[in-house]
Amino acid sequence: MADPAELIAQLRPLRAPPPDGAAEILVMALVGCSVGAMLTLAFLFWRARRRPLRRAALSALVAARALPAPERLAAQAKLLRDLVGALDGGVASLHGEPWLARLDALFATTLFSAGEGRAFGDALYRPCADDPTERLDRALRALLARVDR
């Protein structure tokens, strides 16, 4: 049988850190990867919680697509009122041209004063000859995708 002191002497070099510092580099790489993963998860959670208004508006827009044209237009108008109220507040008294101008200013577009979005002004309360709902759906989806909240 081998001498126990000789066996212990053979084990000691296995426990010692490598002489070139590879263990420290490995630990630093592991810590760096862990911190990077934690920051990535924190960013994803922050981003998911940051845009509930946009998510709610887009889901309401999708739900409105199942409605017939007049009801869809009314649902989209309600969606815009709710969204602008949450973003800007104090817009319940606006109607007609001032309302359309406010929508244009908020979304940085001319869709509401010069495009298909005119249907959300006073024309919302009287029947229109053509059905602008498909074009409005596309235009609203593009506008709502830019909402930051």
Side-chain angles (χ1 to χ4, degrees), residues 53-67 72 75-76 78-80 82 137 144:
L53 281 178
R54 178 173 64 176
R55 252 194 327 265
L58 286 172
S59 67
L61 187 63
V62 168
R65 287 185 61 85
L67 299 172
R72 183 190 305 182
Q76 289 171 346
K78 181 184 179 324
L79 164 125
L80 285 172
D82 294 344
D137 278 345
L144 293 178

mmCIF file of all heavy atoms in Angstrom, residues 53-67 72 75-76 78-80 82 137 144:
data_model
loop_
_atom_site.group_PDB
_atom_site.id
_atom_site.type_symbol
_atom_site.label_atom_id
_atom_site.label_comp_id
_atom_site.label_asym_id
_atom_site.label_seq_id
_atom_site.Cartn_x
_atom_site.Cartn_y
_atom_site.Cartn_z
ATOM 1 N N LEU A 53 -50.727 50.742 -22.786
ATOM 2 C CA LEU A 53 -51.723 51.485 -23.564
ATOM 3 C C LEU A 53 -51.731 51.031 -25.016
ATOM 4 O O LEU A 53 -52.793 50.838 -25.607
ATOM 5 C CB LEU A 53 -51.435 52.984 -23.508
ATOM 6 C CG LEU A 53 -51.863 53.709 -22.247
ATOM 7 C CD1 LEU A 53 -51.478 55.169 -22.315
ATOM 8 C CD2 LEU A 53 -53.345 53.571 -22.027
ATOM 9 N N ARG A 54 -50.557 50.871 -25.579
ATOM 10 C CA ARG A 54 -50.482 50.437 -26.970
ATOM 11 C C ARG A 54 -51.074 49.044 -27.119
ATOM 12 O O ARG A 54 -51.843 48.780 -28.041
ATOM 13 C CB ARG A 54 -49.039 50.458 -27.463
ATOM 14 C CG ARG A 54 -48.953 49.965 -28.895
ATOM 15 C CD ARG A 54 -47.605 50.117 -29.496
ATOM 16 N NE ARG A 54 -46.626 49.302 -28.808
ATOM 17 C CZ ARG A 54 -45.374 49.200 -29.206
ATOM 18 N NH1 ARG A 54 -44.953 49.884 -30.227
ATOM 19 N NH2 ARG A 54 -44.541 48.444 -28.553
ATOM 20 N N ARG A 55 -50.721 48.146 -26.202
ATOM 21 C CA ARG A 55 -51.254 46.790 -26.273
ATOM 22 C C ARG A 55 -52.767 46.785 -26.159
ATOM 23 O O ARG A 55 -53.462 46.093 -26.894
ATOM 24 C CB ARG A 55 -50.641 45.945 -25.152
ATOM 25 C CG ARG A 55 -49.658 44.945 -25.635
ATOM 26 C CD ARG A 55 -49.331 43.902 -24.577
ATOM 27 N NE ARG A 55 -49.350 44.378 -23.227
ATOM 28 C CZ ARG A 55 -48.285 44.802 -22.560
ATOM 29 N NH1 ARG A 55 -47.128 44.816 -23.140
ATOM 30 N NH2 ARG A 55 -48.392 45.197 -21.317
ATOM 31 N N ALA A 56 -53.299 47.575 -25.218
ATOM 32 C CA ALA A 56 -54.751 47.633 -25.035
ATOM 33 C C ALA A 56 -55.428 48.232 -26.267
ATOM 34 O O ALA A 56 -56.478 47.749 -26.703
ATOM 35 C CB ALA A 56 -55.081 48.452 -23.795
ATOM 36 N N ALA A 57 -54.837 49.268 -26.834
ATOM 37 C CA ALA A 57 -55.431 49.902 -28.010
ATOM 38 C C ALA A 57 -55.409 48.961 -29.213
ATOM 39 O O ALA A 57 -56.403 48.866 -29.945
ATOM 40 C CB ALA A 57 -54.694 51.199 -28.331
ATOM 41 N N LEU A 58 -54.310 48.270 -29.411
ATOM 42 C CA LEU A 58 -54.241 47.342 -30.539
ATOM 43 C C LEU A 58 -55.196 46.169 -30.361
ATOM 44 O O LEU A 58 -55.808 45.717 -31.329
ATOM 45 C CB LEU A 58 -52.808 46.843 -30.730
ATOM 46 C CG LEU A 58 -51.840 47.864 -31.326
ATOM 47 C CD1 LEU A 58 -50.419 47.335 -31.297
ATOM 48 C CD2 LEU A 58 -52.241 48.225 -32.742
ATOM 49 N N SER A 59 -55.360 45.678 -29.137
ATOM 50 C CA SER A 59 -56.310 44.583 -28.929
ATOM 51 C C SER A 59 -57.747 45.064 -29.115
ATOM 52 O O SER A 59 -58.586 44.331 -29.631
ATOM 53 C CB SER A 59 -56.113 43.947 -27.555
ATOM 54 O OG SER A 59 -56.464 44.851 -26.546
ATOM 55 N N ALA A 60 -58.053 46.313 -28.726
ATOM 56 C CA ALA A 60 -59.391 46.856 -28.967
ATOM 57 C C ALA A 60 -59.635 47.040 -30.463
ATOM 58 O O ALA A 60 -60.748 46.825 -30.947
ATOM 59 C CB ALA A 60 -59.561 48.189 -28.237
ATOM 60 N N LEU A 61 -58.603 47.410 -31.191
ATOM 61 C CA LEU A 61 -58.731 47.561 -32.639
ATOM 62 C C LEU A 61 -58.998 46.208 -33.294
ATOM 63 O O LEU A 61 -59.832 46.104 -34.191
ATOM 64 C CB LEU A 61 -57.468 48.192 -33.210
ATOM 65 C CG LEU A 61 -57.505 48.558 -34.685
ATOM 66 C CD1 LEU A 61 -58.558 49.615 -34.947
ATOM 67 C CD2 LEU A 61 -56.150 49.048 -35.132
ATOM 68 N N VAL A 62 -58.329 45.176 -32.835
ATOM 69 C CA VAL A 62 -58.555 43.830 -33.369
ATOM 70 C C VAL A 62 -59.966 43.369 -33.031
ATOM 71 O O VAL A 62 -60.663 42.779 -33.861
ATOM 72 C CB VAL A 62 -57.495 42.847 -32.831
ATOM 73 C CG1 VAL A 62 -57.870 41.415 -33.130
ATOM 74 C CG2 VAL A 62 -56.139 43.179 -33.423
ATOM 75 N N ALA A 63 -60.430 43.653 -31.814
ATOM 76 C CA ALA A 63 -61.786 43.261 -31.419
ATOM 77 C C ALA A 63 -62.833 44.007 -32.246
ATOM 78 O O ALA A 63 -63.901 43.462 -32.544
ATOM 79 C CB ALA A 63 -61.999 43.529 -29.930
ATOM 80 N N ALA A 64 -62.560 45.232 -32.627
ATOM 81 C CA ALA A 64 -63.519 46.019 -33.407
ATOM 82 C C ALA A 64 -63.650 45.494 -34.832
ATOM 83 O O ALA A 64 -64.671 45.737 -35.482
ATOM 84 C CB ALA A 64 -63.095 47.480 -33.431
ATOM 85 N N ARG A 65 -62.669 44.767 -35.320
ATOM 86 C CA ARG A 65 -62.738 44.250 -36.690
ATOM 87 C C ARG A 65 -63.874 43.265 -36.886
ATOM 88 O O ARG A 65 -64.351 43.079 -38.001
ATOM 89 C CB ARG A 65 -61.426 43.587 -37.079
ATOM 90 C CG ARG A 65 -60.310 44.566 -37.324
ATOM 91 C CD ARG A 65 -59.059 43.870 -37.824
ATOM 92 N NE ARG A 65 -59.255 43.176 -39.077
ATOM 93 C CZ ARG A 65 -59.169 43.745 -40.273
ATOM 94 N NH1 ARG A 65 -58.904 45.018 -40.364
ATOM 95 N NH2 ARG A 65 -59.329 43.037 -41.376
ATOM 96 N N ALA A 66 -64.331 42.638 -35.821
ATOM 97 C CA ALA A 66 -65.412 41.657 -35.926
ATOM 98 C C ALA A 66 -66.778 42.326 -36.035
ATOM 99 O O ALA A 66 -67.759 41.662 -36.348
ATOM 100 C CB ALA A 66 -65.380 40.726 -34.719
ATOM 101 N N LEU A 67 -66.866 43.618 -35.802
ATOM 102 C CA LEU A 67 -68.144 44.331 -35.811
ATOM 103 C C LEU A 67 -68.512 44.775 -37.225
ATOM 104 O O LEU A 67 -67.637 44.976 -38.066
ATOM 105 C CB LEU A 67 -68.051 45.554 -34.901
ATOM 106 C CG LEU A 67 -67.756 45.278 -33.426
ATOM 107 C CD1 LEU A 67 -67.509 46.586 -32.699
ATOM 108 C CD2 LEU A 67 -68.892 44.522 -32.790
ATOM 109 N N ARG A 72 -68.204 49.279 -35.950
ATOM 110 C CA ARG A 72 -66.745 49.278 -35.941
ATOM 111 C C ARG A 72 -66.217 50.709 -35.862
ATOM 112 O O ARG A 72 -65.302 51.004 -35.102
ATOM 113 C CB ARG A 72 -66.197 48.606 -37.192
ATOM 114 C CG ARG A 72 -64.676 48.527 -37.186
ATOM 115 C CD ARG A 72 -64.079 48.087 -38.483
ATOM 116 N NE ARG A 72 -64.594 46.822 -38.952
ATOM 117 C CZ ARG A 72 -64.182 46.231 -40.062
ATOM 118 N NH1 ARG A 72 -63.259 46.787 -40.810
ATOM 119 N NH2 ARG A 72 -64.705 45.090 -40.449
ATOM 120 N N ALA A 75 -66.719 51.934 -32.378
ATOM 121 C CA ALA A 75 -65.759 51.315 -31.461
ATOM 122 C C ALA A 75 -64.371 51.929 -31.635
ATOM 123 O O ALA A 75 -63.650 52.153 -30.654
ATOM 124 C CB ALA A 75 -65.710 49.808 -31.692
ATOM 125 N N GLN A 76 -64.001 52.217 -32.875
ATOM 126 C CA GLN A 76 -62.706 52.852 -33.116
ATOM 127 C C GLN A 76 -62.677 54.273 -32.565
ATOM 128 O O GLN A 76 -61.666 54.724 -32.026
ATOM 129 C CB GLN A 76 -62.398 52.863 -34.612
ATOM 130 C CG GLN A 76 -62.086 51.498 -35.161
ATOM 131 C CD GLN A 76 -62.006 51.494 -36.674
ATOM 132 O OE1 GLN A 76 -62.422 52.438 -37.339
ATOM 133 N NE2 GLN A 76 -61.482 50.405 -37.225
ATOM 134 N N LYS A 78 -64.386 55.316 -29.979
ATOM 135 C CA LYS A 78 -64.273 55.169 -28.527
ATOM 136 C C LYS A 78 -62.837 54.831 -28.140
ATOM 137 O O LYS A 78 -62.293 55.362 -27.171
ATOM 138 C CB LYS A 78 -65.221 54.098 -28.012
ATOM 139 C CG LYS A 78 -65.153 53.927 -26.506
ATOM 140 C CD LYS A 78 -66.029 52.799 -26.044
ATOM 141 C CE LYS A 78 -65.983 52.573 -24.560
ATOM 142 N NZ LYS A 78 -64.746 52.756 -23.890
ATOM 143 N N LEU A 79 -62.211 53.967 -28.917
ATOM 144 C CA LEU A 79 -60.817 53.612 -28.673
ATOM 145 C C LEU A 79 -59.934 54.858 -28.734
ATOM 146 O O LEU A 79 -59.083 55.060 -27.870
ATOM 147 C CB LEU A 79 -60.371 52.586 -29.718
ATOM 148 C CG LEU A 79 -58.896 52.350 -29.879
ATOM 149 C CD1 LEU A 79 -58.588 50.891 -29.706
ATOM 150 C CD2 LEU A 79 -58.441 52.814 -31.236
ATOM 151 N N LEU A 80 -60.143 55.703 -29.733
ATOM 152 C CA LEU A 80 -59.346 56.927 -29.848
ATOM 153 C C LEU A 80 -59.612 57.871 -28.685
ATOM 154 O O LEU A 80 -58.689 58.481 -28.148
ATOM 155 C CB LEU A 80 -59.634 57.626 -31.174
ATOM 156 C CG LEU A 80 -59.006 56.984 -32.403
ATOM 157 C CD1 LEU A 80 -59.519 57.648 -33.665
ATOM 158 C CD2 LEU A 80 -57.501 57.067 -32.333
ATOM 159 N N ASP A 82 -60.568 57.067 -25.644
ATOM 160 C CA ASP A 82 -59.934 56.496 -24.447
ATOM 161 C C ASP A 82 -58.422 56.661 -24.492
ATOM 162 O O ASP A 82 -57.795 57.026 -23.496
ATOM 163 C CB ASP A 82 -60.288 55.012 -24.302
ATOM 164 C CG ASP A 82 -61.759 54.778 -24.017
ATOM 165 O OD1 ASP A 82 -62.452 55.748 -23.633
ATOM 166 O OD2 ASP A 82 -62.220 53.636 -24.192
ATOM 167 N N ASP A 137 -58.723 50.891 -40.578
ATOM 168 C CA ASP A 137 -58.083 49.855 -39.760
ATOM 169 C C ASP A 137 -56.576 49.835 -39.976
ATOM 170 O O ASP A 137 -55.799 49.801 -39.032
ATOM 171 C CB ASP A 137 -58.657 48.469 -40.081
ATOM 172 C CG ASP A 137 -59.955 48.198 -39.371
ATOM 173 O OD1 ASP A 137 -60.280 48.944 -38.428
ATOM 174 O OD2 ASP A 137 -60.633 47.241 -39.753
ATOM 175 N N LEU A 144 -51.172 53.323 -34.023
ATOM 176 C CA LEU A 144 -51.124 52.784 -32.658
ATOM 177 C C LEU A 144 -49.829 52.037 -32.403
ATOM 178 O O LEU A 144 -49.384 51.935 -31.264
ATOM 179 C CB LEU A 144 -52.316 51.865 -32.415
ATOM 180 C CG LEU A 144 -53.675 52.563 -32.404
ATOM 181 C CD1 LEU A 144 -54.786 51.549 -32.216
ATOM 182 C CD2 LEU A 144 -53.747 53.630 -31.341
#
